[in-house]
Structure formats: C-alpha cells, structure tokens
C-alpha cells in the first residue's frame, strides 16, 4: 500500500506546500497588495521557484532520512531492495536484466538509491510546478490544482500499460527490478516534463 501511495501520490504530496499559493493569495485578497510591490513576472517566477524547491524538499528529505537510518541500523544490507537476500546481490544475470544500472546497483547500492531519491524528488518538484502553473492558467479549485497532475499520471499509466508497459512512469521512481524498464525513458521523462512546464510558462507569460 505504501509503495502504491509513494508512486502515484508523490506529485500530490509535493504540491501541498506551495503550489496553491496563487489561489490562497487571491482568496485572501492579498494578491493586489503583493503586485503593488512587485511585477507580475517577479510574482509568478518566484511562485514557480518556491513550488519547485518545496516540492523537491518535501519528498527528498524524508527519503534521505530513511536511507540514513537504513545505513546506520543495517550497514550491510540496508542498500538491498526488500524481498532480496544478500546472495541475490551477486546474481549478475538477474541485475543485468532487471535493473536500469546493474553495475551501480551491485557495487554501490547506496549511491544507486541516492540517485533514485533525487530522481523521484525531481519528478515531484516538476509536478509541483505544474500544479502551480495550472492555477495561473485558470484552474480555480484548490483540490483540482493540487490533484490534477496526479490524475493525469494515473490516466497516463492506465492507458500506457496496455500500449507499451515499459513506459509506465511508476517503474522509474523506485529502484526495484523490472523486465521492461527502458534506460532511455529514464532520461526522457524529466526532459519531457521540463518541456511541458516551459510551454505552460510561455502561455502564462502571454
């Protein structure tokens, strides 16, 4: 249950700290006062940056603490994925098939976990910015602003699993094994999200 929550609600959790700030400023009648002291460009640029940073930190920090505790309490096996024994680490054929970066996973498991922690945090942060941009583009319901990226990803995964399962985003946020992961998609996913955010930024600017 926790894994499903982590994979599918990561963008929702990341959006909570700041992505609805524009709506709150409107409803609190403070937007006019703020814009009297700065330009609209400075206002929404600052909001986007804060949405990104808060979305990144709210996911990254708990995962880093979890990894640190794992390292301190279980220094030998703390970097191993649950469900696998220590002996499974050295089954190189399994790793070459099932993991995106088998050599890194075998030789530097904690570094591999850190890479996925920062990757997942980046994914969350970009979704938090997406939520913020939706509010600027006229989505005026708080729950919809916070949850729309999550709903879009759920829709995407529901459809893509029948077309090309290897492009399901949930496989790439967690360092588990899978026979259908595609290394190129690991790189393309955040780039595509950045491009979408940039396009929406251009629309907001207009």
């Amino acid at each position: 249950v926790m894994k499903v929550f982590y994979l599918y609600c990561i963008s929702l959790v990341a959006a909570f700290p700041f992505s609805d700030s524009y709506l709150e400023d409107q409803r609190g009648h403070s937007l006019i006062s703020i814009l009297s002291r700065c330009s609209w460009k400075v206002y929404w640029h600052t909001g986007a940056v804060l949405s990104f940073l808060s979305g990144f930190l709210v996911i990254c920090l708990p995962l880093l603490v979890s990894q640190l505790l794992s390292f301190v309490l279980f220094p030998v096996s703390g970097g191993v994925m649950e469900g696998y024994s220590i002996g499974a680490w050295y089954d190189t054929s399994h790793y070459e098939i099932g993991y995106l970066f088998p050599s890194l996973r075998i030789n530097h498991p904690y570094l591999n976990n850190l890479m996925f922690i920062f990757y997942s945090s980046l994914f969350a942060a970009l979704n938090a910015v997406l939520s913020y941009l939706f509010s600027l583009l006229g989505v005026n319901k708080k729950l919809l602003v916070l949850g729309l990226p999550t709903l879009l990803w759920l829709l995407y995964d529901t459809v893509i699993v029948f077309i090309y399962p290897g492009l399901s985003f949930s496989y790439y946020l967690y360092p588990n094994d899978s026979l259908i992961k595609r290394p190129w998609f690991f790189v393309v996913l955040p780039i595509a999200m950045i491009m979408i955010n940039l396009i929406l930024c251009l629309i907001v600017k207009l």
Side-chain angles (χ1 to χ4, degrees), residues 108-183:
H108 307 284
Y110 284 105
L111 183 59
N112 182 74
N113 289 349
L114 285 175
M115 179 183 65
F116 277 93
I117 286 173
F118 286 112
Y119 187 85
S120 297
S121 301
L122 175 62
F123 176 86
L126 291 172
N127 277 289
V129 175
L130 190 61
S131 287
Y132 180 73
L133 293 174
F134 281 149
S135 71
L136 298 181
L137 292 172
V139 179
N140 56 9
K141 300 296 183 181
K142 181 175 181 177
L143 188 59
L144 193 57
V145 165
L146 297 176
L148 190 55
T150 300
L151 292 176
L152 292 175
W153 281 115
L154 285 171
L155 178 62
Y156 168 84
D157 247 22
T158 301
V159 174
I160 205 68
V161 74
F162 295 105
I163 301 173
Y164 199 98
L167 300 186
S168 172
F169 84 95
S170 57
Y171 291 134
Y172 298 86
L173 301 183
Y174 199 68
N176 61 331
D177 64 325
S178 172
L179 298 179
I180 53 178
K181 284 185 177 180
R182 300 292 181 262

Side-chain angles (χ1 to χ4, degrees), residues 11-137:
S11 59
L12 180 62
V13 173
F16 277 130
F18 206 84
S19 294
D20 64 338
S21 60
Y22 174 67
L23 294 182
E24 292 300 321
D25 288 340
Q26 278 189 319
R27 292 172 182 174
H29 305 291
S30 59
L31 183 60
I32 296 177
S33 175
I34 295 172
L35 291 178
S36 69
R37 290 172 288 175
C38 70
S39 67
W40 168 247
K41 180 180 179 180
V42 171
Y43 173 82
W44 76 265
H45 280 191
T46 302
V49 170
L50 291 176
S51 294
F52 180 90
L53 293 177
S54 60
F56 187 93
L57 291 175
V58 77
I59 298 300
C60 186
L61 290 180
L63 293 178
L64 284 177
V65 171
S66 175
Q67 187 65 94
L68 178 62
L69 290 175
S70 180
F71 176 77
V72 172
L73 298 176
F74 311 102
V76 175
S77 60
V80 186
M81 274 300 302
E82 57 275 352
Y84 292 93
S85 65
I86 298 297
W89 279 33
Y90 302 99
D91 182 0
T92 56
S93 61
H94 169 81
Y95 269 74
E96 289 174 358
I97 294 174
Y99 288 90
L100 280 173
F101 309 102
S103 178
L104 184 65
R105 183 65 179 166
I106 294 172
N107 298 312
H108 307 284
Y110 284 105
L111 183 59
N112 182 74
N113 289 349
L114 285 175
M115 179 183 65
F116 277 93
I117 286 173
F118 286 112
Y119 187 85
S120 297
S121 301
L122 175 62
F123 176 86
L126 291 172
N127 277 289
V129 175
L130 190 61
S131 287
Y132 180 73
L133 293 174
F134 281 149
S135 71
L136 298 181
L137 292 172

